[in-house]
C-alpha cells in the first residue's frame, strides 16, 4: 500500500493505493508492506490527514512517515467492525474505479473530489469514527483530542 509524501491544505483524504510491491515507486510516496484493506481503511479515512496535520503542526507539506504512520493509534477492532471497514473500503475503491483517465493525485489534490467518491469516504469515516467511539459529526478538534488520548494510552506504557 502506498500513500503520498505530501499533503495539500485542501485535502480531506489522501490518495492511498493498494499495489503489489513490484509496482511501487517510492520516489513520491511512502510504502507500507502488507495487503490489509482494514489498515487501508484507517489511512483512507479523514482521520489520518487530521493526525498528520496535528502531529506536524502544519496544514500543508511533507508527510513524515515516522511521525504520521508509525505513531497513528490504530485501535483494536472487532470482527464486526473489520467487516464494516472492509465493506466501506471496497466501496471507496469501486467509486474511484468509475473515474477513468485521471491519476489518483488528480482526483484527491484538485480540491474537488467527485461526489460519489466523497460519499464513499464519508461512509468509511462513519465506521472509522465508531471504532474510536466518536460520533459521526465529530469535529477535527474532537478527533485529534481522541487520537492523542489513544496515542498516549497505547504508547506511554
Amino acid at each position: 500500500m502506498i500513500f503520498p509524501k505530501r499533503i495539500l491544505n485542501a485535502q480531506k483524504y489522501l490518495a492511498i493505493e493498494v499495489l503489489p510491491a513490484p509496482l511501487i515507486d517510492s520516489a513520491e510516496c511512502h510504502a507500507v508492506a502488507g495487503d490489509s484493506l482494514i489498515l487501508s481503511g484507517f489511512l483512507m479515512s479523514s482521520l489520518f490527514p487530521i493526525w498528520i496535520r496535528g502531529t506536524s503542526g502544519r496544514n500543508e507539506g511533507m508527510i513524515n512517515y515516522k511521525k504520521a504512520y508509525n505513531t497513528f493509534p490504530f485501535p483494536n477492532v472487532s470482527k464486526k467492525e473489520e467487516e464494516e471497514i472492509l465493506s466501506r473500503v471496497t466501496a471507496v475503491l469501486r467509486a474511484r474505479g468509475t473515474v477513468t483517465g485521471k491519476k489518483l493525485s488528480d482526483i484527491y489534490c484538485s480540491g474537488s473530489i467527485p461526489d460519489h467518491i466523497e460519499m464513499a469516504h464519508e461512509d468509511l469515516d462513519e465506521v472509522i469514527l465508531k471504532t474510536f467511539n466518536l460520533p459521526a459529526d465529530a469535529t477535527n478538534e474532537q478527533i485529534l483530542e481522541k487520537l492523542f488520548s489513544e496515542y498516549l494510552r497505547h504508547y506511554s506504557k
Side-chain angles (χ1 to χ4, degrees):
M1 156 181 24
I2 61 171
F3 59 93
K5 288 185 176 181
R6 185 173 288 287
I7 187 168
L8 302 176
N9 187 32
Q11 277 184 269
K12 184 174 181 180
Y13 304 103
L14 295 180
I16 305 295
E17 185 61 272
V18 179
L19 295 172
L23 297 180
I24 296 175
D25 174 8
S26 62
E28 292 298 319
C29 61
H30 295 293
V32 177
D35 59 358
S36 169
L37 287 180
I38 305 303
L39 174 63
S40 298
F42 285 94
L43 301 181
M44 287 180 178
S45 76
S46 65
L47 280 73
F48 189 60
I50 291 169
W51 179 251
I52 291 168
R53 289 181 175 104
T55 57
S56 72
R58 293 180 286 176
N59 281 334
E60 188 170 325
M62 298 301 285
I63 297 172
N64 182 312
Y65 181 77
K66 289 181 180 176
K67 287 184 181 174
Y69 174 77
N70 287 338
T71 62
F72 186 83
F74 295 100
N76 293 324
V77 294
S78 68
K79 188 67 173 163
K80 181 181 179 199
E81 289 170 327
E82 279 186 18
E83 290 170 2
E84 288 180 34
I85 293 168
L86 182 57
S87 172
R88 304 294 172 91
V89 168
T90 302
V92 169
L93 295 174
R94 278 194 192 121
R96 290 187 342 194
T98 64
V99 178
T100 58
K102 288 188 176 185
K103 296 181 209 172
L104 285 180
S105 58
D106 295 336
I107 294 170
Y108 286 93
C109 299
S110 68
S112 81
I113 298 173
D115 290 343
H116 68 291
I117 296 174
E118 180 110 29
M119 287 173 51
H121 274 286
E122 288 171 358
D123 288 345
L124 173 61
D125 280 352
E126 184 179 316
V127 173
I128 298 297
L129 286 165
K130 246 188 343 185
T131 68
F132 285 101
N133 294 315
L134 286 166
D137 62 349
T139 65
N140 287 1
E141 291 77 19
Q142 291 171 314
I143 292 168
L144 198 53
E145 183 178 325
K146 180 66 171 184
L147 293 175
F148 274 119
S149 170
E150 289 298 306
Y151 170 82
L152 290 172
R153 190 169 68 80
H154 285 116
Y155 298 107
S156 65
K157 295 177 182 179

